[in-house]
Amino acid sequence: MNTSFLIEFREEDLAELDEVARYAEAMTPALGAMEVGNVRNQARAGAVAERVARRQPASVRSQEMVYRSVAAELAGVTFTTDRSMQAQINQAMEWVECYPATLTAWEAGRITRAHATAVLRCGTVLPRDARAEFDARAAELCVGQAVGRVKDRLDHLAQELHPRTLAERHAKAREERRVSVTPLPDGMSELVATLPTLLAEGISDRLNEQASSIIDARNTPGDGGADADADTDATPDCRTRDQLRADIFCDMLVTGSPLADPTIDGDGNGTLGMIRAKVQVVVPALALLGKDDDPANDTTTVDLVGSSPIDPATARALAGAVASWERMVVHPVSGQVLFTDSYRRTASMARFLKARDRHCRFPGCRRPAIRCELDHTLDFALGGPTDIRNLCHLCQRHHSMKQFTSWGVQQLGGGVLEWTSPTGRVYIDHPPAPLVRFMPSGGGAPPPEGSGGAPPPDPAPF
């Protein structure tokens, strides 16, 4: 055996490494106990919601409002969203009710959260009356094993204990097919389609074959490939296979006409094929003028409302595709939005509020304003005026919570909302910060919030 490449540890290195390992070994059960304690506490919140819901009228809507309200209460003190907290509560109740052996092993530090999550995921396919045996056997399977090593064994155990065949379960699972979007950093997102395996593999194979055709064509002499005329003005296609697959995927979905369209008559796209995507984008003027592409000098942000920032080049491409522009006017000192208008000078209260709010105004919610409802903070039926000082955007979920639960809200001026939870906790929600602020050349300090002041003169179109 060649020992010339063996790494040598000095005694002091081994001693310190042993201390680190001992600390990690001691902390594992302590962390497990804390995490399981939090799980049990969230399950208690779910039990409270169930108890209150049973006292409500026998309607799905009224009972759902209880769960939303309880989730929002916990979300406020843990700095998360009520949707996320409601999912955590549901998961905690599932652990407590169906997987006590797994929780006990986790609490003792014999397994970790990752193991417990894997058990929960694999056990979801089983009916509730079959989960007790799965829980007991799964907890023992996980002890002393890395999560990656035990996942397949958990899946096989669930299949073994399931009373129904895979064919029967697949027919049911097909009913839950869907598409979802998850925002990623740097102006990107992940589009996920949950489909039958056969279709998913077929789509992947077709994308791969189409990408291969493009690669073959660009590498074929005489077809614009590697040996094409050097004097051509065509930009060489250097995209990788993954990039080509993604681009083809987008082209087909954005421009294609679905075969499922019942209005296709053989003479062009039907109604479904004519539908185009709609997004709300807030673009600073500097981004349109091409002044902020240098990251070192970038002081503005182009925002895809409710999702994430996008790059200025994409914003300019979108700008060139629209027939008219609407402008957003902000106070030159405080930066507060005053009004929006179009070049046709049609005043619109809805446009003003959409520009001010940009998303649902319940604390933590990021649903875009274009997918929300304009709500009278003080109900119109109770004398609330139809005024920007009494209006804000709420998504359907939080509009219903305001209407059917004891969550309360009032406007403090300047678009600032004060929400009060059923337990009396108060949360202040400010409108999103304007994307561009102009400071006076004299360097004077901005006036205090709510100090008023006349709006600036109507600016000329840029």
Side-chain angles (χ1 to χ4, degrees), residues 4 40 134 149 161 165 172 218 242 283 367 372 415 427:
S4 60
R40 296 191 193 281
F134 174 78
R149 293 283 183 89
L161 296 176
T165 66
K172 175 64 176 177
R218 75 187 184 194
D242 282 342
V283 188
R367 190 164 184 81
C372 294
Y427 303 95

Side-chain angles (χ1 to χ4, degrees), residues 6-19:
L6 290 179
I7 299 174
E8 294 186 1
F9 284 85
R10 295 179 178 178
E11 288 189 10
E12 58 268 25
D13 297 328
L14 290 173
E16 185 171 359
L17 182 58
D18 182 61
E19 289 181 6

Side-chain angles (χ1 to χ4, degrees), residues 38-39 41-43 45-46 49 64 66-75 78 80-96 113 117 120 124 178 397-398:
N38 189 48
V39 166
N41 189 59
Q42 291 174 338
E64 172 63 16
V66 175
Y67 290 99
R68 294 183 185 181
S69 182
V70 170
E73 187 73 59
L74 262 66
T78 55
T80 185
T81 66
D82 59 291
R83 285 186 178 90
S84 173
M85 180 54 66
Q86 190 166 351
Q88 292 179 46
I89 290 174
N90 291 339
Q91 180 174 270
M93 295 178 69
E94 192 80 4
W95 263 323
V96 169
R113 171 181 282 273
T117 301
L120 182 69
T124 301
R178 62 191 177 92
R397 174 188 179 89
H398 295 124

